[in-house]
Amino acid sequence: MHIRATVAAVTGALALSALVVPAAQAADAPSGKAAFGSAASGAESGSTTTSTLDVTFSDMKVNSGKNIVVGTTNLVSVPVTYTVTHAADLDTSSDNFATGPLIYHGSSMDTADNVLISDDPATCTAASSTVLSCKGVINIRPADGDLWNSDAGTWGAGALAVTSNGDEKTQGGLGSTKVQRYSKLTVNAGPEPVYKGKTITSTGKLSRANWEDNAYHGYTNQPVKLQFRKAGTSTYTTVKTVYSDQYGNLKTTATATYDGYWRFSFAGTTTTPAVNATGDYVDVR
């Protein structure tokens, strides 16, 4: 269990509760941990967790359908949109009702080893007397320990709602998203200039974010393409594929034929996004 990240989720639940619980009732309101935990304990197959609140969540889209890429220190704010369908007699005014999105790492809510929830309630507008269209933000803070390296990959999506009288609902299984470790790729081609027919050596490094020490380390044993773009054109062509070494370093050679740009290109993995090095120009004489 990722203690710090889970505490963040509980704190998020508390924040949602606090915003809808009047001060006079705050002492008697259930804690965020109880609200979140009681819901999570009833999860089945990551689909729905239920207590006493008659609402359902649907149409969830995390980060506009794009993967979430997180570096070592910078805050990443992830937009989430979803729909809340509720009973016609439920008071959804801001002083009585609050909802927020969440994402979780694991096959279901009850087996999740990390949960990240929005800091603040989502902003919702009424689409009808029983439907709310909601927009929220989940903030990921790698510098604060929100993620471990093992968290990279697929996450589930869900949502939480609470009312001022302590009713709550948490629902998972609302889709999925990928949380990936930010990647970097460099190249240096030379010598510069070089005579036609001679050898050009390209060196570089493939690295990615380490969420546990907030630094970048080499991504080892990964296939990386050496590509060339002739001066005056716009398309890179793959020359060969090489593999990063135990430190993420890359080194390979090619024959100088035309003026142009050399780069390394990494296709990405489930845990790490694709990245291209900035092309390095070599003058051929």
Side-chain angles (χ1 to χ4, degrees), residues 137-189:
V137 174
I138 298 173
N139 289 317
I140 302 177
R141 300 175 175 86
D144 292 343
D146 280 358
L147 297 169
W148 285 2
N149 293 333
S150 59
D151 290 332
T154 301
W155 286 55
L160 167 73
V162 294
T163 65
S164 59
N165 63 6
D167 292 335
E168 49 82 22
K169 170 76 172 286
T170 305
Q171 183 177 337
L174 298 177
S176 64
T177 186
K178 283 188 174 63
V179 180
Q180 297 181 311
R181 297 164 64 177
Y182 189 93
S183 55
K184 296 181 178 182
L185 186 57
T186 62
V187 68
N188 183 35

Side-chain angles (χ1 to χ4, degrees), residues 4-19 31-33 35-36 98-102 115-121 160 162:
R4 183 175 297 179
T6 302
V7 168
V10 171
T11 302
L14 274 169
L16 292 180
S17 297
L19 285 172
S31 69
K33 184 174 182 179
F36 185 85
T99 178
L102 59 87
V115 181
L116 298 174
I117 194 170
S118 55
D119 296 342
D120 300 304
L160 167 73
V162 294

Side-chain angles (χ1 to χ4, degrees), residues 10-75:
V10 171
T11 302
L14 274 169
L16 292 180
S17 297
L19 285 172
V20 297
V21 177
Q25 301 176 22
D28 297 324
S31 69
K33 184 174 182 179
F36 185 85
S38 63
S41 66
E44 295 182 2
S45 303
S47 57
T48 303
T49 61
T50 307
S51 63
T52 56
L53 185 57
D54 185 12
V55 301
T56 57
F57 307 96
S58 61
D59 302 325
M60 178 161 280
K61 180 170 286 189
V62 179
N63 205 37
S64 301
K66 299 178 293 184
N67 294 339
I68 303 167
V69 180
V70 182
T72 57
T73 55
N74 290 342
L75 168 72

Side-chain angles (χ1 to χ4, degrees), residues 214-226:
N214 304 116
Y216 283 87
H217 297 275
Y219 196 8
T220 65
N221 196 35
Q222 296 300 310
V224 179
K225 295 176 181 178
L226 175 69

Side-chain angles (χ1 to χ4, degrees), residues 250-266:
L250 300 158
K251 184 176 182 179
T252 190
T253 60
T255 301
T257 306
Y258 303 103
D259 295 347
Y261 299 85
W262 295 88
R263 76 176 185 184
F264 287 119
S265 178
F266 175 58

